[in-house]
Amino acid sequence: MAEPPVRRRPRLGVFKFASCDGCQLTLLDCEDELLPLAAEIEIAHFVEASSDVQPGPYDLSLVEGSVSTPEHLERIRRIRAESRRLVTIGACATAGGVQALRNFADVAEFRATVYAKPDYIETLATSTPISAHVPVDFELRGCPIDRGQLIEVITAFLADRRPDIPDHSVCFACKRRGTTCLPVAHGIPCLGPVTHAGCGALCPAYGRGCYGCFGPSGSANMPAMIPLLRSDGMSDEDVLRFLHTFNVAKFAAIEPEREDP
């Protein structure tokens, strides 16, 4: 009697570009969740976890980090060509990260200030999200990403369905937790109304205003948000600094134009 054919397990690749590795560490921290999943997939490329690196193609590729060097441009195109599905994870991969502050300054000046031998450093003038260069099947927000959302994304794509990741704001999560609204009750500046949910409203739960680590939500109303921040005592410079952090490129794209003094 012939033996049944061996079922081919979907192949997973995890790749890093310009980033702090925090989102990859989130995946490694999913120990209990990964145990049953590991039997269903083949982790073919994940340098953070194993030196056993296998070539493509990959059924699902997770990409952390922004495109910040000429080498990144060539590499991300190669990974896209080898990937059936490509998902970007974290603020660096989805928005360019905090390093996208270079997009609003002179990168040559930064390079000369930081490095003793800037001639040896190859870098682009901008830090850009992966989607600016290749088609992306899904963007998972966060700095770092949420482990529950990450597992949902992996299982969804391996099952050929769309991930169930809502696009509401942090305010919705605050209501679910029963957290008192910090701007209303205490006059504390908070980006919750314009920030994509996913963190579980962690900062507001401990009395700190949201600072937008998951980037703007799809319904972000920045023209209404800026006056609220000013009413909570923030100057124009304070507002600018508040928005220019992990998702500076995303928030800058929807900021209302400031009037000249």
Side-chain angles (χ1 to χ4, degrees):
M1 182 176 180
E3 295 183 1
V6 177
R7 182 176 64 90
R8 187 186 75 84
R9 293 183 297 165
R11 307 182 81 234
L12 174 69
V14 183
F15 302 90
K16 168 187 164 60
F17 286 75
S19 64
C20 71
D21 288 29
C23 293
Q24 290 181 88
L25 291 175
T26 298
L27 177 56
L28 290 175
D29 284 342
C30 297
E31 297 174 353
D32 294 338
E33 296 89 342
L34 278 179
L35 285 176
L37 189 60
E40 300 298 323
I41 62 174
E42 175 190 353
I43 302 178
H45 187 292
F46 191 2
V47 176
E48 187 93 358
S50 172
S51 59
D52 183 16
V53 175
Q54 303 296 324
Y58 309 100
D59 293 284
L60 175 64
S61 289
L62 304 178
V63 178
E64 175 195 67
S66 65
V67 173
S68 299
T69 70
E71 185 271 337
H72 287 164
L73 287 171
E74 178 183 350
R75 185 164 166 253
I76 190 56
R77 290 167 185 153
R78 185 173 66 251
I79 292 171
R80 174 69 267 190
E82 296 176 339
S83 305
R84 179 168 171 260
R85 295 282 186 267
L86 190 147
V87 173
T88 52
I89 58 173
C92 295
T94 62
V98 70
Q99 59 267 32
L101 286 167
R102 75 168 73 173
N103 301 359
F104 308 92
D106 184 352
V107 72
E109 181 182 351
F110 283 169
R111 185 169 52 193
T113 301
V114 173
Y115 298 100
K117 297 288 186 180
D119 296 343
Y120 294 99
I121 304 299
E122 289 191 359
T123 187
L124 298 172
T126 58
S127 173
T128 47
I130 300 299
S131 62
H133 306 281
V134 298
V136 169
D137 293 288
F138 192 80
E139 292 185 327
L140 185 62
R141 309 284 195 85
C143 187
I145 53 176
D146 175 76
R147 56 191 290 175
Q149 288 192 347
L150 176 60
I151 294 298
E152 162 61 18
V153 165
I154 293 175
T155 54
F157 275 101
L158 293 179
D160 284 325
R161 63 175 176 82
R162 189 72 177 170
D164 183 17
I165 305 294
D167 189 27
H168 52 246
S169 72
V170 171
C171 289
F172 184 88
C174 275
K175 292 292 187 293
R176 294 188 66 177
R177 289 186 69 137
T179 300
T180 300
C181 181
L182 298 180
V184 172
H186 305 292
I188 296 175
C190 180
L191 290 177
V194 295
T195 298
H196 194 289
C199 63
L202 183 63
C203 289
Y206 288 90
R208 188 198 192 285
C210 169
Y211 54 96
C213 63
F214 273 62
S217 65
S219 58
N221 186 347
M222 294 307 295
M225 185 76 245
I226 301 300
L228 288 177
L229 294 175
R230 290 180 180 140
S231 69
D232 287 329
M234 300 187 81
S235 65
D236 286 347
E237 183 178 356
D238 292 334
V239 171
L240 193 65
R241 289 181 177 275
F242 203 32
L243 294 173
H244 288 194
T245 54
F246 313 101
N247 291 275
V248 54
K250 289 279 191 184
F251 277 117
I254 59 174
E255 284 178 35
E257 293 184 6
R258 285 178 288 276
E259 297 180 359
D260 293 331

